[in-house]
Structures are given as structure tokens and as C-alpha cells.
């Protein structure tokens, strides 16, 4: 079973969630609100490792701290129906609110020459200890990328 990172919360409108999981071929961020849901892929597994590390490194004391990731997916490429959904996902401490921790997701959709605001999900005061435990388990259980093979030096060819 693949490791996941998730934050779920409930308010007067209903259930909310931000979840990072493996969908079989990509790592995706799933954002769910009482009003809709969507998912967008991370560029590569290293971005997911960086997210887990950012959660582990979330400072306990008030200080400037924010990491952002840009996610996107294009559908119907090179057709009249081409549509790109993109989003910013951030982990940080809010400097305008006593450095409270947060996870924030904001998406946009670009079609033709128009860009529309999409889904927004902000988890204020997430369970930091739980997120750190998830991040630790995630980094421990996530398969490491294969090591890159050092390039072999070519021997000089003798001149004829």
C-alpha cells in the first residue's frame, strides 16, 4: 500500500480534505470541498518528497516559513476544447495571523483566452503532530528513486 499525506476537516458547510496519494502512475493532490473536488498531479516523486520534508520541518516557533508547489493538467490539448487546470499548493506559517500553520490549495482553469477561479481549500491550524508523523512514515516507506549511474569516462581513441 502506498503511503499518503492527508488533512481532513469539517465545518458548517461539510467535509473538506487535502490528500496526496499515488494513483497508479502519478502522485496527485486531491482537494475536496463540500462544493466539489479535483485532483492534479505533482511533476515527479521528488516534489512529493519535498512536501513531506516541508511538513517535517514545519517550525514549532513563529518564524517565516512557506513552501509552494505549482500543479497543472491540460485536457483536450491542441483542440478547440483545450483546457488547463492549474493550482498552487502551499504549506506554511501565516505571518499575518500569529504564524499559525496552514495548508492551502487554490486552483484556476484556463480555457481559450479566459481564466476562471477554481476550487479553494485552506486548512488552518492543521494537526501538525499528525502531519509530521504522516510525513515521517511517508519518507520512510516511499521507495527511493534508483541511484543515477555515474557516467563512464570514455578512453581516448588512439590516433591512426
Amino acid at each position: 500500500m502506498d503511503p499518503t499525506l492527508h488533512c481532513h476537516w469539517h465545518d458548517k458547510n461539510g467535509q473538506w480534505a487535502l490528500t496526496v496519494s499515488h494513483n497508479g502512475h502519478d502522485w496527485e493532490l486531491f482537494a475536496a470541498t463540500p462544493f466539489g473536488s479535483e485532483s492534479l498531479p505533482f511533476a515527479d516523486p521528488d516534489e512529493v518528497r519535498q512536501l513531506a520534508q516541508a511538513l517535517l520541518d514545519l517550525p514549532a516557533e513563529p518564524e517565516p516559513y512557506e513552501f509552494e508547489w505549482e500543479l497543472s493538467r491540460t485536457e483536450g490539448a491542441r483542440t478547440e476544447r483545450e483546457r488547463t487546470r492549474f493550482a498552487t499548493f502551499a504549506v506554511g506559517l501565516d505571518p499575518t495571523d500569529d504564524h499559525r500553520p496552514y495548508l492551502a490549495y487554490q486552483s484556476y482553469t484556463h480555457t481559450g483566452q479566459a481564466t476562471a477561479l477554481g476550487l479553494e481549500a485552506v486548512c488552518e491550524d492543521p494537526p501538525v503532530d499528525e502531519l509530521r508523523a504522516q510525513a515521517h512514515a511517508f519518507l520512510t516507506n516511499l521507495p527511493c528513486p534508483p541511484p543515477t549511474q555515474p557516467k563512464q569516462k570514455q578512453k581516448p581513441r588512439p590516433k591512426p
Side-chain angles (χ1 to χ4, degrees):
M1 184 167 154
D2 287 316
T4 63
L5 298 168
H6 55 85
C7 183
H8 301 265
W9 66 103
H10 184 83
D11 70 7
K12 64 181 178 173
N13 296 313
Q15 296 287 333
W16 299 72
L18 292 168
T19 304
V20 176
S21 61
H22 197 251
N23 71 5
H25 50 76
D26 286 326
W27 285 96
E28 292 201 338
L29 174 66
F30 176 73
T33 74
F35 317 107
S37 64
E38 59 191 33
S39 65
L40 289 172
F42 282 87
D44 56 46
D46 285 338
E47 281 192 343
V48 182
R49 284 184 187 87
Q50 291 169 359
L51 167 59
Q53 191 62 54
L55 291 169
L56 274 177
D57 295 343
L58 203 61
E61 299 298 318
E63 62 181 75
Y65 188 84
E66 184 175 67
F67 282 90
E68 275 190 3
W69 292 266
E70 298 292 325
L71 312 170
S72 68
R73 174 180 284 136
T74 299
E75 299 165 350
R78 299 186 197 137
T79 68
E80 289 180 17
R81 294 183 177 196
E82 181 174 319
R83 179 177 81 166
T84 301
R85 182 176 311 275
F86 55 97
T88 300
F89 178 61
V91 171
L93 299 176
D94 187 348
T96 64
D97 192 8
D98 283 336
H99 291 87
R100 285 186 348 171
Y102 67 88
L103 305 176
Y105 175 87
Q106 176 65 66
S107 71
Y108 303 86
T109 301
H110 181 77
T111 306
Q113 296 194 11
T115 299
L117 191 59
L119 208 57
E120 178 181 41
V122 179
C123 180
E124 296 174 339
D125 288 326
V128 174
D129 290 339
E130 183 180 321
L131 288 171
R132 284 188 182 123
Q134 289 176 31
H136 178 72
F138 188 89
L139 290 171
T140 301
N141 296 314
L142 187 66
C144 293
T148 56
Q149 298 292 324
K151 292 184 179 180
Q152 295 180 349
K153 291 184 179 180
Q154 292 182 343
K155 295 180 182 175
R157 293 183 182 171
K159 293 184 180 180

